[in-house]
Amino acid sequence: MQISTFDLEEYKKRIIKVIHYIDNHLDTDLSLEKIAEVSAYSPFHFHRIFKLITGETLQNYIIRKKIEKSAFYLAVHKEAEIKDIYFDLGFSSHSVFSKTFKKYYGVPPSEFRKSAPETFHKILQTQSKNGQVDTVFSQYICSIENLLNWTTMNLKIEVKEMPEMNLAAVMSLGLAQVEPSYNILIDWAKKKNLFPGENVKMISVYHDSFKITPADKVRIHACMLLDEKLDKAQGEIFSESIDAGKFVIGRGEVTLHDFEQCWVSLFLWMNKHGYSMRKTFPFEIYHSNFKEHPEGKMIVDFCIPIH
């Protein structure tokens, strides 16, 4: 399918709108006809465009998002009834949900929940001898005590209220696309005389978790903090906001290789101190650039929205 650069940018813009709609309406009618209506394309045309941009069919994307979100809720909200989780995500029965869940993670939802400890063990997918995908939980580091010691030495953790944040954002599908997305954002900001600046803050908002979503499919929004809300989308740049509320914030001067350990330790700290995560997205705020540090370090706030 041959397309121009202009067409590709327009397609991306409409797919961003569709993905936002899907994420906010996982419990409603998400038929091809309905989604195509949101995108303002014909169903046939939209189906081809969606797969071109995301690498997945619409149906596969919707099912994957529902199952990944259910896996996250099973691991984090252990007090919630399983039936409430799958009903909220639009599954008609336990049998349908269980069968679909097992297809993705190799075990039924109840077993998955038991195997997913509150220390956020790492979920790995490995090929078994018969070619089936098994879900394997392996501990990220050898003991909780070591992890807590690492946290004390490397992160300053506090719980505080934060105001609403208005952001300009570019969507990344897959970890490899994050840097190109930031380049698009910075080019846009330079034209608006917003970058560089003394108080400029870059923020990555995680709309998926690496624990349950493959790295090449994780959706991350590369964002810049704005003084005022962006009125409308400008090419690939769109408006995003982080609601005001209470957050666990861990600040540290770390390398890119430390990021996963920072997140794991921060979630462990959150659980240990009796907090629970709100149904919204964690994010990182960058206060310096690792490319300007001789050891590749940067000052980062790791932020978890909590009740």
Side-chain angles (χ1 to χ4, degrees):
M1 184 179 180
Q2 298 296 321
I3 57 175
S4 67
T5 301
F6 174 81
D7 288 336
L8 184 58
E9 290 180 357
E10 180 63 24
Y11 293 154
K12 286 182 178 179
K13 182 178 177 181
R14 297 197 193 187
I15 292 302
I16 288 170
K17 180 179 179 182
V18 164
I19 286 175
H20 283 162
Y21 182 87
I22 291 172
D23 282 2
N24 292 326
H25 296 83
L26 285 173
D27 59 342
T28 64
D29 171 28
L30 292 175
S31 64
L32 174 58
E33 290 73 19
K34 178 61 180 178
I35 300 300
E37 180 183 333
V38 173
S39 72
Y41 284 124
S42 70
F44 175 74
H45 193 200
F46 170 75
H47 190 273
R48 297 173 68 197
I49 296 303
F50 188 89
K51 188 172 183 180
L52 173 71
I53 300 296
T54 67
E56 292 182 275
T57 66
L58 176 65
Q59 187 64 19
N60 285 348
Y61 180 85
I62 291 171
I63 293 174
R64 178 172 67 80
K65 291 299 294 183
K66 287 186 175 186
I67 292 300
E68 288 173 355
K69 184 162 282 190
S70 70
F72 181 77
Y73 288 163
L74 286 166
V76 176
H77 301 291
K78 299 207 172 195
E79 75 287 351
E81 294 285 343
I82 291 180
K83 66 178 180 180
D84 291 335
I85 292 174
Y86 68 72
F87 275 140
D88 283 347
L89 292 170
F91 288 95
S92 58
S93 68
H94 184 274
S95 60
V96 172
F97 172 63
S98 184
K99 182 178 179 180
T100 308
F101 190 96
K102 189 173 182 179
K103 178 181 176 182
Y104 277 79
Y105 290 109
V107 293
S110 56
E111 187 174 335
F112 180 96
R113 169 174 271 178
K114 291 177 183 177
S115 303
E118 294 187 356
T119 51
F120 270 75
H121 284 193
K122 195 176 183 182
I123 300 172
L124 304 175
Q125 291 186 326
T126 59
Q127 292 292 327
S128 64
K129 292 182 180 179
N130 62 3
Q132 297 298 313
V133 178
D134 295 323
T135 300
V136 180
F137 294 90
S138 62
Q139 205 164 357
Y140 181 62
I141 64 171
C142 62
S143 71
I144 295 175
E145 182 179 355
N146 285 346
L147 185 52
L148 288 173
N149 288 339
W150 187 92
T151 304
T152 301
M153 293 174 61
N154 292 277
L155 290 179
K156 178 184 177 182
I157 300 178
E158 60 180 335
V159 176
K160 69 176 185 179
E161 296 283 338
M162 294 180 66
E164 180 184 34
M165 288 181 275
N166 297 311
L167 310 174
V170 177
M171 184 178 70
S172 307
L173 287 177
L175 187 59
Q177 296 303 312
V178 174
E179 185 170 356
S181 293
Y182 269 113
N183 290 337
I184 292 171
L185 182 64
I186 289 171
D187 287 344
W188 170 85
K190 286 179 177 178
K191 293 175 183 176
K192 298 288 184 180
N193 294 320
L194 298 173
F195 185 91
E198 185 177 345
N199 297 318
V200 170
K201 290 289 186 295
M202 297 297 187
I203 299 174
S204 290
V205 182
Y206 290 86
H207 288 257
D208 293 315
S209 168
F210 286 97
K211 304 303 178 187
I212 53 181
T213 304
D216 64 340
K217 297 185 184 301
V218 165
R219 182 158 66 94
I220 304 169
H221 289 179
C223 303
M224 178 182 291
L225 183 63
L226 302 177
D227 292 333
E228 298 179 356
K229 188 172 183 178
L230 193 65
D231 290 336
K232 60 181 180 178
Q234 301 177 24
E236 293 188 54
I237 314 296
F238 57 90
S239 176
E240 179 158 12
S241 62
I242 297 174
D243 292 338
K246 185 185 292 185
F247 295 82
V248 171
I249 302 172
R251 174 174 292 195
E253 187 176 25
V254 296
T255 68
L256 293 175
H257 297 294
D258 295 324
F259 273 40
E260 183 176 7
Q261 192 154 329
C262 288
W263 278 117
V264 172
S265 63
L266 197 60
F267 273 108
L268 174 59
W269 188 96
M270 178 190 75
N271 289 326
K272 182 176 183 293
H273 288 80
Y275 296 106
S276 60
M277 182 177 173
R278 283 186 277 131
K279 290 186 178 181
T280 185
F281 309 108
F283 56 93
E284 298 159 354
I285 303 176
Y286 311 117
H287 297 280
S288 63
N289 188 343
F290 73 93
K291 293 182 179 179
E292 299 173 355
H293 192 283
E295 298 177 18
K297 292 184 177 182
M298 59 196 304
I299 299 172
V300 184
D301 287 347
F302 299 89
C303 307
I304 304 174
I306 58 171
H307 293 291

